[in-house]
Amino acid sequence: MDFVVSKVAMAVCALVVLAVLAGIAEPGYFVDGDAELRSYLDEFCVLAERGVLLGNELDTHWDVPTKADGKYVELSVKAGIVSLLSDQKREARAPQFGIHTWTWDGSCLNASIVEKLDTRGPTLWAWSGDAVTLETMTVLYEDSPTLMVFVRLC
């Protein structure tokens, strides 16, 4: 059994070496290169969730960073999904308490209204050097005051 396992492992290694030498894959292709984007996304989501977790209305600014290698980062927020893109690599996440790009008009909300507003709402775009505001505010949701997170360009 060990003989078969070792031969399979050697065959996989040979294929990886051939792929790199043939130019099919870059040397770093098989290594996870999105750790930096993930850390930026973690930072953004922590800020977005902070107000709800603390139970307070907050107004926080977040600057879209530039990667350590100088490459630009693109932020997009649409229908509750936050996405970061840089150098053809993407990381996306839905913050725990949701995030919205539309403006609340003071009316009472429910799940279906919020879903429609999120779907029809604008996509927020920002790039390295831009700043966005994350605002946690109390809205009327099913006749009860509820904290919701909104994002907009500064």
Side-chain angles (χ1 to χ4, degrees):
M1 184 66 173
D2 290 334
F3 177 79
V4 173
V5 171
S6 68
K7 294 304 174 195
V8 170
M10 293 206 28
V12 169
C13 289
L15 288 173
V16 169
V17 169
L18 284 175
V20 171
L21 291 175
I24 296 171
E26 302 170 6
Y29 183 80
F30 299 98
V31 179
D32 184 9
D34 298 329
E36 190 174 3
L37 279 181
R38 256 192 311 281
S39 70
Y40 296 148
L41 191 56
D42 289 343
E43 177 186 324
F44 181 90
C45 289
V46 164
L47 286 175
E49 295 165 351
R50 180 177 288 162
V52 177
L53 288 171
L54 294 174
N56 295 328
E57 291 187 333
L58 291 176
D59 216 4
T60 307
H61 297 284
W62 187 72
D63 295 321
V64 181
T66 302
K67 288 183 73 177
D69 61 6
K71 295 194 174 158
Y72 280 86
V73 174
E74 174 187 299
L75 165 75
S76 67
V77 182
K78 174 69 176 172
I81 304 294
V82 179
S83 177
L84 293 178
L85 172 71
S86 181
D87 197 32
Q88 299 179 345
K89 294 179 181 170
R90 180 180 304 275
E91 289 292 323
R93 187 173 312 148
Q96 180 179 359
F97 304 108
I99 190 163
H100 312 285
T101 59
W102 42 271
T103 304
W104 182 51
D105 63 4
S107 63
C108 190
L109 304 170
N110 61 36
S112 62
I113 293 171
V114 170
E115 185 179 340
K116 276 184 196 170
L117 290 168
D118 282 341
T119 303
R120 296 177 183 166
T123 300
L124 178 125
W125 295 98
W127 291 265
S128 294
D130 291 340
V132 295
T133 298
L134 293 160
E135 181 179 13
T136 306
M137 65 186 317
T138 304
V139 300
L140 279 176
Y141 184 83
E142 297 183 358
D143 295 322
S144 177
T146 304
L147 289 170
M148 291 182 101
V149 181
F150 296 88
V151 63
R152 66 179 185 279
L153 288 173
C154 288

